[in-house]
Amino acid sequence: MKAKTYRGPVGWLLVALCMLFVVGCEEAGVHVAQPESLPGQALQAPAEQPLSPISGKQLITVGFSQLGTESDWRKANTRSIREAAAEAGIKLMYENAEQSQEKQFEAIRLFIEQKVDVIAVSPVVESGWEPILREAKAAGIPVILSDRAVGVSDPSLYVTTIGSDFYEEGVKAGKYLLDKLHHLPGPVSIVELRGTDGSSPTIERGKGFRDVIAKREDLRIIKAESADFTVEQGKETMRAFLQELGGDIRVLFAHNDDMAIGAIEAIEEYGLRPGKDVVIISVDGTRKAFELMVEGKINCIVECNPLLGPILMQAVREMMEGRTLPKRIVPQESVFTEGVAHKEVANRQY
Ligand code: GZL
């Protein structure tokens, strides 16, 4: 169902009422975005779930452009979104872009053609989104960013971003390392397996990690390359690092568990002990990573929550009922170290 917009005196009255709502929320300490940042906002009073103009049934249709299936995190993220849509009675049109931004653009054009009510997208990289988001805005279809962010000059091109604070995840990884090496004199050589270059998790995790370890000038990142968040490339890239640097490597910071899992295979092939000869810090929190932590092969896992489905569907429903959404919605996340691995592994949902 299209979000309607009202113009003239009625529209302004409704906007004024909306502003009162915003002021009220701010006083209550709840952050909400300014109404003007919600394009084509339905200003109707909250009612039953909107009726679909097509079937006449109570139905919302969401077009979801998922970036790929590159990691266990991504597969869990997709499962969570599919399950939450089914649970919420929301029709989900799912398109897998296989890590291609061009395919994401094609998917969004398909959703516009199909006149979906909302577009959700997990952008593979941050840049290049302005034109396609303008096409969605011109079609009056609101866009929600799921998981990753985009770099656009006009924030009204999307309603909200639902996803982790990747910079904070990098900071947590750096803080763990400073703590772990507190008594160890330097120099300490670090290698880094970056995720997909140009993606917000890769950019921000790298920044957060570097900002923290800069406190010790004897901690040095001697090699950093992208392994695209996959097991295979994590193994290949770590194997190349070891061939070049061998036993000099004391620490691995992997931007996700899949790359850490691949790297551990390469480290063991080379004859070193992961988690002992090479301190390993990873991000995500998959069951496989926790099982390796139980074996003492991973020292720290910074959690990145893939289960965004329920938050995304709640945001869709609230937006379609005319409520304002905060510009940024961040899920709760923790940090896990060797001591809690046994307990945590049983809790893992993916
Ligand atoms: C982070 C997400 C990243 C995960 C990887 O929110 O975009 O992409 O850390 C996944 O496992 O491939």
Side-chain angles (χ1 to χ4, degrees):
M1 175 175 157
K2 279 259 171 298
K4 293 192 196 68
T5 50
Y6 294 82
R7 304 202 188 296
V10 171
W12 291 115
L13 172 65
L14 286 166
V15 170
L17 286 175
C18 216
M19 291 303 285
L20 282 176
F21 167 74
V22 168
V23 168
C25 287
E26 294 294 358
E27 271 152 23
V30 174
H31 168 73
V32 288
Q34 299 307 317
E36 66 273 7
S37 69
L38 305 177
Q41 182 55 45
L43 290 174
Q44 70 218 28
E48 281 297 297
Q49 189 175 2
L51 297 180
S52 161
I54 302 160
S55 64
K57 291 198 200 78
Q58 289 189 351
L59 183 73
I60 297 172
T61 303
V62 172
F64 174 45
S65 168
Q66 179 58 295
L67 64 90
T69 53
E70 76 286 355
S71 61
D72 284 355
W73 188 101
R74 184 66 51 201
K75 292 164 194 160
N77 178 248
T78 297
R79 246 190 335 269
S80 170
I81 289 169
R82 282 183 183 282
E83 287 168 3
E87 186 77 20
I90 288 173
K91 181 172 176 242
L92 189 77
M93 289 176 66
Y94 167 84
E95 291 290 331
N96 170 10
E98 292 154 353
Q99 301 246 64
S100 151
Q101 186 176 36
E102 199 43 52
K103 286 186 179 171
Q104 292 202 283
F105 295 163
E106 287 162 16
I108 291 172
R109 289 198 177 97
L110 173 70
F111 299 150
I112 292 170
E113 205 181 294
Q114 301 282 323
K115 297 184 174 18
V116 300
D117 297 300
V118 181
I119 290 170
V121 54
S122 183
V124 61
V125 292
E126 283 193 355
S127 60
W129 290 93
E130 198 114 3
I132 192 70
L133 293 181
R134 289 203 179 286
E135 289 180 37
K137 183 173 183 179
I141 302 177
V143 174
I144 292 180
L145 302 178
S146 171
D147 173 24
R148 297 184 184 176
V150 295
V152 293
S153 57
D154 177 1
S156 78
L157 291 174
Y158 59 89
V159 174
T160 185
T161 302
I162 301 172
S164 305
D165 180 341
F166 304 121
Y167 179 83
E168 187 54 30
E169 290 172 347
V171 165
K172 289 174 183 173
K175 283 180 176 172
Y176 168 81
L177 188 60
L178 287 184
D179 188 50
K180 178 79 177 174
L181 302 181
H182 188 61
H183 299 296
L184 195 83
V188 176
S189 296
I190 303 166
V191 294
E192 180 188 36
L193 290 174
R194 292 195 308 264
T196 304
D197 277 335
S199 70
S200 39
T202 296
I203 295 166
E204 296 304 314
R205 285 172 186 164
K207 221 184 277 176
F209 183 71
R210 282 167 175 73
D211 286 353
V212 169
I213 67 166
K215 291 183 178 62
R216 271 187 60 172
E217 88 286 337
D218 60 351
L219 299 188
R220 290 194 207 102
I221 298 176
I222 55 173
K223 287 295 275 189
E225 279 186 33
S226 171
D228 229 5
F229 288 127
T230 69
V231 173
E232 300 70 31
Q233 290 184 58
K235 182 172 183 176
E236 250 169 70
T237 310
M238 190 67 196
R239 193 183 273 153
F241 285 172
L242 288 161
Q243 273 150 18
E244 185 185 338
L245 304 160
D248 290 353
I249 300 172
R250 290 298 326 282
V251 178
L252 164 63
F253 173 41
H255 287 191
N256 86 327
D257 292 343
D258 296 59
M259 294 189 293
I261 289 165
I264 285 168
E265 289 174 21
I267 291 168
E268 290 180 321
E269 254 175 30
Y270 186 80
L272 293 176
R273 298 170 300 165
K276 295 175 184 55
D277 302 324
V278 181
V279 171
I280 298 183
I281 304 166
S282 184
V283 186
D284 279 350
T286 62
R287 181 190 306 279
K288 284 180 200 154
F290 275 96
E291 286 162 354
L292 286 166
M293 185 183 257
V294 168
E295 293 173 42
K297 296 182 178 179
I298 291 182
N299 304 89
C300 172
I301 298 173
V302 176
E303 184 180 25
C304 177
N305 187 348
L307 308 179
L308 303 179
I311 309 172
L312 175 58
M313 295 308 150
Q314 182 61 26
V316 165
R317 186 190 294 282
E318 293 198 5
M319 185 179 65
M320 291 303 288
E321 289 170 356
R323 301 205 195 112
T324 59
L325 296 179
K327 204 66 188 171
R328 188 82 178 78
I329 302 172
V330 183
Q332 293 294 323
E333 293 174 346
S334 305
V335 187
F336 301 96
T337 54
E338 299 100 314
V340 298
H342 285 86
K343 183 166 65 68
E344 201 44 47
V345 73
N347 296 342
R348 304 320 292 168
Q349 299 179 48
Y350 72 103

Short mmCIF file of all heavy atoms in Angstrom, two decimals, residues 136-187:
data_model
loop_
_atom_site.label_atom_id
_atom_site.label_comp_id
_atom_site.label_asym_id
_atom_site.label_seq_id
_atom_site.Cartn_x
_atom_site.Cartn_y
_atom_site.Cartn_z
N ALA A 136 13.80 5.40 -6.20
CA ALA A 136 12.80 4.87 -5.24
C ALA A 136 12.00 6.02 -4.62
O ALA A 136 10.78 5.94 -4.50
CB ALA A 136 13.52 4.07 -4.14
N LYS A 137 12.69 7.11 -4.30
CA LYS A 137 12.00 8.26 -3.68
C LYS A 137 11.00 8.86 -4.67
O LYS A 137 9.86 9.18 -4.33
CB LYS A 137 13.02 9.32 -3.25
CG LYS A 137 12.38 10.51 -2.53
CD LYS A 137 13.41 11.46 -1.95
CE LYS A 137 12.72 12.59 -1.18
NZ LYS A 137 13.70 13.54 -0.58
N ALA A 138 11.43 8.95 -5.95
CA ALA A 138 10.53 9.51 -6.98
C ALA A 138 9.29 8.64 -7.14
O ALA A 138 8.20 9.11 -7.46
CB ALA A 138 11.28 9.61 -8.30
N ALA A 139 9.46 7.34 -6.89
CA ALA A 139 8.31 6.42 -7.01
C ALA A 139 7.47 6.42 -5.73
O ALA A 139 6.46 5.72 -5.62
CB ALA A 139 8.81 5.00 -7.28
N GLY A 140 7.92 7.20 -4.71
CA GLY A 140 7.17 7.30 -3.45
C GLY A 140 7.29 6.06 -2.59
O GLY A 140 6.43 5.77 -1.75
N ILE A 141 8.37 5.29 -2.79
CA ILE A 141 8.56 4.05 -2.00
C ILE A 141 9.66 4.27 -0.97
O ILE A 141 10.82 4.51 -1.34
CB ILE A 141 8.92 2.85 -2.90
CG1 ILE A 141 7.85 2.63 -3.97
CG2 ILE A 141 9.12 1.59 -2.06
CD1 ILE A 141 8.16 1.51 -4.95
N PRO A 142 9.33 4.22 0.33
CA PRO A 142 10.34 4.43 1.37
C PRO A 142 11.35 3.28 1.40
O PRO A 142 11.01 2.13 1.12
CB PRO A 142 9.53 4.49 2.66
CG PRO A 142 8.24 3.84 2.37
CD PRO A 142 7.99 3.99 0.90
N VAL A 143 12.60 3.61 1.73
CA VAL A 143 13.70 2.63 1.77
C VAL A 143 14.23 2.51 3.20
O VAL A 143 14.47 3.53 3.86
CB VAL A 143 14.85 3.05 0.83
CG1 VAL A 143 16.06 2.13 0.99
CG2 VAL A 143 14.37 3.07 -0.62
N ILE A 144 14.40 1.29 3.66
CA ILE A 144 15.03 1.03 4.96
C ILE A 144 16.35 0.30 4.68
O ILE A 144 16.38 -0.68 3.93
CB ILE A 144 14.13 0.16 5.86
CG1 ILE A 144 12.87 0.95 6.28
CG2 ILE A 144 14.89 -0.31 7.11
CD1 ILE A 144 11.92 0.17 7.17
N LEU A 145 17.44 0.79 5.29
CA LEU A 145 18.75 0.13 5.15
C LEU A 145 18.87 -0.91 6.24
O LEU A 145 18.67 -0.60 7.43
CB LEU A 145 19.88 1.15 5.24
CG LEU A 145 19.83 2.29 4.20
CD1 LEU A 145 20.99 3.26 4.43
CD2 LEU A 145 19.86 1.74 2.79
N SER A 146 19.19 -2.15 5.86
CA SER A 146 19.32 -3.25 6.82
C SER A 146 20.78 -3.70 6.86
O SER A 146 21.39 -3.94 5.82
CB SER A 146 18.44 -4.43 6.37
OG SER A 146 18.71 -5.56 7.15
N ASP A 147 21.36 -3.74 8.07
CA ASP A 147 22.72 -4.24 8.27
C ASP A 147 23.78 -3.18 7.96
O ASP A 147 24.43 -2.67 8.87
CB ASP A 147 22.97 -5.51 7.45
CG ASP A 147 24.41 -5.95 7.49
OD1 ASP A 147 25.10 -5.59 8.46
OD2 ASP A 147 24.87 -6.63 6.56
N ARG A 148 23.99 -2.84 6.72
CA ARG A 148 25.08 -1.93 6.37
C ARG A 148 24.55 -0.54 5.98
O ARG A 148 23.37 -0.37 5.76
CB ARG A 148 25.90 -2.51 5.21
CG ARG A 148 26.57 -3.83 5.56
CD ARG A 148 27.44 -4.34 4.44
NE ARG A 148 28.01 -5.64 4.75
CZ ARG A 148 28.75 -6.36 3.90
NH1 ARG A 148 29.00 -5.88 2.69
NH2 ARG A 148 29.24 -7.55 4.23
N ALA A 149 25.48 0.41 5.87
CA ALA A 149 25.09 1.82 5.61
C ALA A 149 25.46 2.22 4.18
O ALA A 149 26.16 1.49 3.47
CB ALA A 149 25.82 2.71 6.62
N VAL A 150 24.93 3.39 3.77
CA VAL A 150 25.30 3.96 2.48
C VAL A 150 25.87 5.36 2.73
O VAL A 150 25.55 6.00 3.74
CB VAL A 150 24.09 4.07 1.53
CG1 VAL A 150 23.56 2.69 1.15
CG2 VAL A 150 23.00 4.96 2.10
N GLY A 151 26.69 5.84 1.81
CA GLY A 151 27.22 7.20 1.93
C GLY A 151 26.49 8.08 0.92
O GLY A 151 26.79 8.05 -0.27
N VAL A 152 25.46 8.80 1.36
CA VAL A 152 24.71 9.70 0.44
C VAL A 152 24.67 11.10 1.05
O VAL A 152 24.72 11.26 2.28
CB VAL A 152 23.28 9.19 0.19
CG1 VAL A 152 23.27 7.87 -0.59
CG2 VAL A 152 22.49 9.02 1.49
N SER A 153 24.55 12.11 0.19
CA SER A 153 24.54 13.51 0.69
C SER A 153 23.15 13.88 1.22
O SER A 153 23.00 14.81 1.99
CB SER A 153 24.91 14.45 -0.47
OG SER A 153 23.98 14.25 -1.54
N ASP A 154 22.13 13.11 0.85
CA ASP A 154 20.75 13.46 1.23
C ASP A 154 20.15 12.37 2.11
O ASP A 154 19.66 11.34 1.59
CB ASP A 154 19.92 13.63 -0.06
CG ASP A 154 18.46 13.93 0.25
OD1 ASP A 154 18.11 14.01 1.46
OD2 ASP A 154 17.67 14.05 -0.71
N PRO A 155 20.15 12.55 3.44
CA PRO A 155 19.67 11.48 4.33
C PRO A 155 18.18 11.18 4.17
O PRO A 155 17.68 10.18 4.66
CB PRO A 155 19.96 12.02 5.73
CG PRO A 155 20.18 13.47 5.58
CD PRO A 155 20.63 13.72 4.19
N SER A 156 17.46 12.06 3.43
CA SER A 156 16.02 11.77 3.26
C SER A 156 15.82 10.63 2.25
O SER A 156 14.70 10.18 2.02
CB SER A 156 15.27 13.02 2.77
OG SER A 156 15.50 13.19 1.38
N LEU A 157 16.91 10.14 1.65
CA LEU A 157 16.79 9.07 0.64
C LEU A 157 16.51 7.71 1.31
O LEU A 157 16.21 6.73 0.62
CB LEU A 157 18.05 9.00 -0.22
CG LEU A 157 18.25 10.19 -1.17
CD1 LEU A 157 19.60 10.09 -1.88
CD2 LEU A 157 17.11 10.24 -2.20
N TYR A 158 16.64 7.65 2.62
CA TYR A 158 16.27 6.41 3.32
C TYR A 158 15.64 6.80 4.65
O TYR A 158 15.93 7.87 5.22
CB TYR A 158 17.48 5.49 3.53
CG TYR A 158 18.60 6.10 4.32
CD1 TYR A 158 18.64 5.98 5.72
CD2 TYR A 158 19.60 6.85 3.70
CE1 TYR A 158 19.65 6.56 6.45
CE2 TYR A 158 20.62 7.45 4.43
CZ TYR A 158 20.65 7.29 5.81
OH TYR A 158 21.64 7.90 6.54
N VAL A 159 14.78 5.91 5.15
CA VAL A 159 14.04 6.24 6.38
C VAL A 159 14.89 5.99 7.62
O VAL A 159 14.95 6.82 8.53
CB VAL A 159 12.74 5.38 6.44
CG1 VAL A 159 12.02 5.59 7.76
CG2 VAL A 159 11.83 5.72 5.26
N THR A 160 15.55 4.84 7.66
CA THR A 160 16.39 4.51 8.82
C THR A 160 17.41 3.46 8.42
O THR A 160 17.25 2.79 7.40
CB THR A 160 15.53 3.99 10.00
OG1 THR A 160 16.36 3.79 11.15
CG2 THR A 160 14.87 2.65 9.67
N THR A 161 18.48 3.36 9.23
CA THR A 161 19.47 2.28 9.06
C THR A 161 19.39 1.38 10.29
O THR A 161 19.55 1.87 11.43
CB THR A 161 20.91 2.84 8.97
OG1 THR A 161 20.97 3.76 7.88
CG2 THR A 161 21.92 1.72 8.76
N ILE A 162 19.10 0.09 10.06
CA ILE A 162 19.02 -0.87 11.17
C ILE A 162 20.27 -1.75 11.09
O ILE A 162 20.42 -2.54 10.15
CB ILE A 162 17.76 -1.75 11.05
CG1 ILE A 162 16.50 -0.89 11.06
CG2 ILE A 162 17.74 -2.80 12.17
CD1 ILE A 162 15.23 -1.67 10.74
N GLY A 163 21.20 -1.58 12.01
CA GLY A 163 22.43 -2.37 11.93
C GLY A 163 23.41 -1.99 13.02
O GLY A 163 23.23 -1.00 13.73
N SER A 164 24.48 -2.79 13.10
CA SER A 164 25.45 -2.65 14.20
C SER A 164 26.27 -1.38 14.09
O SER A 164 26.40 -0.80 13.01
CB SER A 164 26.39 -3.87 14.18
OG SER A 164 25.65 -5.06 14.23
N ASP A 165 26.87 -1.04 15.23
CA ASP A 165 27.85 0.06 15.27
C ASP A 165 29.21 -0.59 14.99
O ASP A 165 29.87 -1.09 15.91
CB ASP A 165 27.82 0.71 16.66
CG ASP A 165 28.81 1.86 16.77
OD1 ASP A 165 29.74 1.92 15.92
OD2 ASP A 165 28.66 2.70 17.68
N PHE A 166 29.60 -0.60 13.71
CA PHE A 166 30.81 -1.33 13.31
C PHE A 166 32.06 -0.70 13.89
O PHE A 166 33.03 -1.39 14.23
CB PHE A 166 30.89 -1.40 11.78
CG PHE A 166 29.68 -2.02 11.13
CD1 PHE A 166 28.93 -1.33 10.20
CD2 PHE A 166 29.29 -3.31 11.48
CE1 PHE A 166 27.81 -1.90 9.61
CE2 PHE A 166 28.17 -3.89 10.89
CZ PHE A 166 27.44 -3.19 9.95
N TYR A 167 32.06 0.64 14.00
CA TYR A 167 33.22 1.32 14.59
C TYR A 167 33.44 0.81 16.01
O TYR A 167 34.55 0.43 16.40
CB TYR A 167 33.02 2.84 14.61
CG TYR A 167 34.18 3.59 15.22
CD1 TYR A 167 35.31 3.90 14.46
CD2 TYR A 167 34.17 3.97 16.57
CE1 TYR A 167 36.39 4.59 15.02
CE2 TYR A 167 35.25 4.64 17.14
CZ TYR A 167 36.35 4.95 16.37
OH TYR A 167 37.42 5.59 16.94
N GLU A 168 32.35 0.70 16.77
CA GLU A 168 32.42 0.23 18.16
C GLU A 168 32.93 -1.20 18.21
O GLU A 168 33.66 -1.60 19.12
CB GLU A 168 31.03 0.37 18.81
CG GLU A 168 30.98 0.07 20.30
CD GLU A 168 31.99 0.89 21.13
OE1 GLU A 168 32.31 2.02 20.72
OE2 GLU A 168 32.48 0.35 22.14
N GLU A 169 32.55 -2.00 17.21
CA GLU A 169 33.04 -3.39 17.17
C GLU A 169 34.56 -3.40 17.01
O GLU A 169 35.27 -4.16 17.66
CB GLU A 169 32.35 -4.14 16.02
CG GLU A 169 30.87 -4.41 16.26
CD GLU A 169 30.17 -4.97 15.04
OE1 GLU A 169 30.75 -4.94 13.92
OE2 GLU A 169 29.02 -5.44 15.18
N GLY A 170 35.09 -2.50 16.15
CA GLY A 170 36.54 -2.41 15.99
C GLY A 170 37.21 -1.94 17.27
O GLY A 170 38.27 -2.46 17.67
N VAL A 171 36.56 -0.99 17.96
CA VAL A 171 37.09 -0.49 19.24
C VAL A 171 37.15 -1.64 20.26
O VAL A 171 38.16 -1.82 20.95
CB VAL A 171 36.19 0.65 19.78
CG1 VAL A 171 36.47 0.95 21.24
CG2 VAL A 171 36.39 1.90 18.92
N LYS A 172 36.09 -2.44 20.32
CA LYS A 172 36.07 -3.56 21.28
C LYS A 172 37.22 -4.53 20.98
O LYS A 172 37.89 -5.03 21.89
CB LYS A 172 34.74 -4.30 21.19
CG LYS A 172 33.54 -3.53 21.75
CD LYS A 172 32.24 -4.28 21.48
CE LYS A 172 31.01 -3.52 21.95
NZ LYS A 172 29.75 -4.19 21.53
N ALA A 173 37.46 -4.79 19.69
CA ALA A 173 38.56 -5.71 19.31
C ALA A 173 39.90 -5.13 19.75
O ALA A 173 40.75 -5.84 20.32
CB ALA A 173 38.54 -5.94 17.80
N GLY A 174 40.08 -3.83 19.54
CA GLY A 174 41.34 -3.18 19.93
C GLY A 174 41.54 -3.18 21.43
O GLY A 174 42.64 -3.46 21.94
N LYS A 175 40.44 -2.92 22.17
CA LYS A 175 40.54 -2.88 23.63
C LYS A 175 40.90 -4.27 24.18
O LYS A 175 41.72 -4.39 25.10
CB LYS A 175 39.22 -2.42 24.26
CG LYS A 175 38.99 -0.90 24.16
CD LYS A 175 37.67 -0.50 24.80
CE LYS A 175 37.49 1.03 24.77
NZ LYS A 175 36.11 1.42 25.23
N TYR A 176 40.32 -5.31 23.56
CA TYR A 176 40.68 -6.67 24.01
C TYR A 176 42.17 -6.89 23.82
O TYR A 176 42.87 -7.39 24.72
CB TYR A 176 39.89 -7.75 23.24
CG TYR A 176 40.45 -9.12 23.50
CD1 TYR A 176 40.13 -9.84 24.65
CD2 TYR A 176 41.40 -9.67 22.63
CE1 TYR A 176 40.71 -11.07 24.93
CE2 TYR A 176 41.99 -10.91 22.90
CZ TYR A 176 41.64 -11.60 24.04
OH TYR A 176 42.23 -12.82 24.32
N LEU A 177 42.70 -6.48 22.68
CA LEU A 177 44.12 -6.74 22.39
C LEU A 177 45.02 -5.98 23.35
O LEU A 177 45.99 -6.53 23.88
CB LEU A 177 44.43 -6.37 20.94
CG LEU A 177 45.83 -6.77 20.48
CD1 LEU A 177 46.03 -8.29 20.58
CD2 LEU A 177 46.09 -6.31 19.05
N LEU A 178 44.69 -4.71 23.64
CA LEU A 178 45.51 -3.93 24.59
C LEU A 178 45.53 -4.64 25.94
O LEU A 178 46.57 -4.77 26.58
CB LEU A 178 44.93 -2.52 24.76
CG LEU A 178 45.10 -1.54 23.61
CD1 LEU A 178 44.54 -0.18 24.01
CD2 LEU A 178 46.56 -1.41 23.18
N ASP A 179 44.38 -5.16 26.32
CA ASP A 179 44.27 -5.85 27.61
C ASP A 179 45.08 -7.16 27.59
O ASP A 179 45.86 -7.45 28.49
CB ASP A 179 42.78 -6.13 27.88
CG ASP A 179 42.56 -6.65 29.28
OD1 ASP A 179 43.08 -6.02 30.22
OD2 ASP A 179 41.91 -7.72 29.41
N LYS A 180 44.92 -7.90 26.51
CA LYS A 180 45.58 -9.21 26.38
C LYS A 180 47.10 -9.06 26.39
O LYS A 180 47.83 -9.89 26.95
CB LYS A 180 45.14 -9.85 25.05
CG LYS A 180 45.75 -11.20 24.71
CD LYS A 180 45.11 -12.34 25.45
CE LYS A 180 45.70 -13.68 25.03
NZ LYS A 180 45.17 -14.78 25.87
N LEU A 181 47.60 -7.98 25.78
CA LEU A 181 49.06 -7.80 25.64
C LEU A 181 49.63 -6.86 26.70
O LEU A 181 50.77 -6.43 26.62
CB LEU A 181 49.37 -7.26 24.24
CG LEU A 181 48.91 -8.09 23.06
CD1 LEU A 181 49.32 -7.43 21.74
CD2 LEU A 181 49.43 -9.53 23.13
N HIS A 182 48.81 -6.60 27.71
CA HIS A 182 49.19 -5.57 28.71
C HIS A 182 50.61 -5.80 29.26
O HIS A 182 51.40 -4.89 29.40
CB HIS A 182 48.16 -5.62 29.85
CG HIS A 182 48.32 -4.52 30.85
ND1 HIS A 182 48.19 -3.18 30.49
CD2 HIS A 182 48.64 -4.53 32.18
CE1 HIS A 182 48.41 -2.42 31.57
NE2 HIS A 182 48.68 -3.22 32.60
N HIS A 183 50.93 -7.09 29.56
CA HIS A 183 52.22 -7.39 30.18
C HIS A 183 53.27 -7.81 29.15
O HIS A 183 54.40 -8.13 29.50
CB HIS A 183 52.05 -8.51 31.22
CG HIS A 183 51.11 -8.12 32.34
ND1 HIS A 183 51.39 -7.09 33.22
CD2 HIS A 183 49.86 -8.56 32.65
CE1 HIS A 183 50.37 -6.95 34.07
NE2 HIS A 183 49.44 -7.82 33.75
N LEU A 184 52.86 -7.82 27.85
CA LEU A 184 53.80 -8.35 26.85
C LEU A 184 54.55 -7.20 26.18
O LEU A 184 53.94 -6.33 25.57
CB LEU A 184 53.01 -9.13 25.78
CG LEU A 184 53.89 -10.03 24.89
CD1 LEU A 184 54.12 -11.35 25.61
CD2 LEU A 184 53.22 -10.26 23.54
N PRO A 185 55.89 -7.15 26.32
CA PRO A 185 56.63 -6.07 25.66
C PRO A 185 56.56 -6.21 24.14
O PRO A 185 56.45 -7.33 23.63
CB PRO A 185 58.05 -6.26 26.17
CG PRO A 185 58.14 -7.67 26.62
CD PRO A 185 56.77 -8.11 27.01
N GLY A 186 56.62 -5.09 23.43
CA GLY A 186 56.55 -5.13 21.96
C GLY A 186 57.95 -5.37 21.39
O GLY A 186 58.86 -5.67 22.14
N PRO A 187 58.18 -5.24 20.08
CA PRO A 187 57.09 -4.94 19.13
C PRO A 187 56.24 -6.19 18.87
O PRO A 187 56.74 -7.31 18.98
CB PRO A 187 57.84 -4.53 17.86
CG PRO A 187 59.16 -5.26 17.93
CD PRO A 187 59.50 -5.37 19.39
#
